[in-house]
Amino acid sequence: MTSLDGKVAFVAGASRGIGAAVAVALAQAGAAVTVAARSEEEGRIPGTIGAVADRITEAGGRALAVPCDVTDEQSVQSAVDTTVAEFGGIDILVANAGVLWQGPIESTPLKRWQLCLDVNLTGVFLVTKAVIPHVRARGTGSLIAVTTTGVAMTDRGSNAYWVSKAAVERLYLGLAADLKGDNIAVNCLSPSRVVLTEGWTAGGSGITIPPEMVEPAETMGRAAVLLAAQDSRGITGTVQRSETLVPAS
């Protein structure tokens, strides 16, 4: 198994779904993990940062629940500073925070369009910007942004969610070149199939997904561990699909 002993991971959007699965998997591999998200209390969509952090610590891992609104630069910086103060630095970033809106462009309210860009794109920019100096200071590290196979499905139309994730892929592919000299791996990771997260269930518009098209969130966790162990001499500057990296489960 890939070992992340001694590493510190910051996982944004980790209160539920893919982010929670990734945080748990990184901790199981030996990393100390900051579980960062806005969800401090149970709301309309189940899941809190405290519950995920407790799950990790109860299994013998190290975790810190830190509130973080990725659209707010001050909130992001505070969460990063808290992580560094507690764990001594940051080696790994998983930028997973996201909102879902898959309605047609002509019926998309401006506020929904803007929310997708604010959370899914600007949120990735803000957490990445805040974390880079700390990862660079370690002499090596890995940055991972969670995207979606929908980016490539241009035959299925357009929506705010896919557009925001496509922009994230361009951001990270370029960033890989910028950080290669710092020995930092930069990659995007998407599920190969559909992960039926709490967010998908709440915002999936009642779409029925056939069982063979469903992927367990834990597959994304195992794929994230593999990418988290990379530096610029390994896998970098790529868009990876989870089941390409690890066997389907």
Side-chain angles (χ1 to χ4, degrees), residues 93-95 120 124 128 142-149 151 164-176 185-191 220 223-224 227-228 235-242 244-245:
L93 168 67
V94 181
N120 300 351
V124 172
T128 303
S142 178
L143 310 180
I144 305 164
V146 174
T147 61
T148 173
T149 54
V151 167
S164 64
K165 292 295 190 177
V168 168
E169 291 190 358
R170 178 60 185 86
L171 171 65
Y172 262 47
L173 290 175
L175 190 60
V186 184
N187 293 285
C188 294
L189 174 64
S190 85
M220 282 290 285
L227 289 181
I235 302 171
T236 191
T238 68
V239 178
Q240 296 287 336
R241 307 301 182 211
S242 56
T244 301
L245 290 171

Side-chain angles (χ1 to χ4, degrees), residues 171-185:
L171 171 65
Y172 262 47
L173 290 175
L175 190 60
D178 293 342
L179 296 179
K180 189 173 182 63
D182 294 301
N183 199 28
I184 299 172

Side-chain angles (χ1 to χ4, degrees), residues 2 10 18 60 76 105 112 125 192 213 225 242:
T2 301
F10 185 100
I18 289 172
V76 169
I105 290 297
R112 291 293 181 182
F125 160 73
S192 295
M213 290 300 296
V225 168
S242 56

Side-chain angles (χ1 to χ4, degrees), residues 8 17 27 30 32-34 56 58 83 94 103 109-110 125 150 165 171 176 186 192 196 204 219 222 241-242 244:
V8 177
V33 180
T34 287
I56 291 171
E58 287 167 6
T83 300
V94 181
L110 177 58
F125 160 73
K165 292 295 190 177
L171 171 65
V186 184
S192 295
L196 295 180
T219 303
R222 290 186 291 124
R241 307 301 182 211
S242 56
T244 301

Side-chain angles (χ1 to χ4, degrees), residues 46-74:
T48 68
I49 53 177
V52 176
D54 287 346
R55 178 181 170 189
I56 291 171
T57 56
E58 287 167 6
R62 297 177 66 200
L64 180 68
V66 179
C68 180
D69 178 352
V70 298
T71 69
D72 183 315
E73 188 170 17
Q74 184 174 352

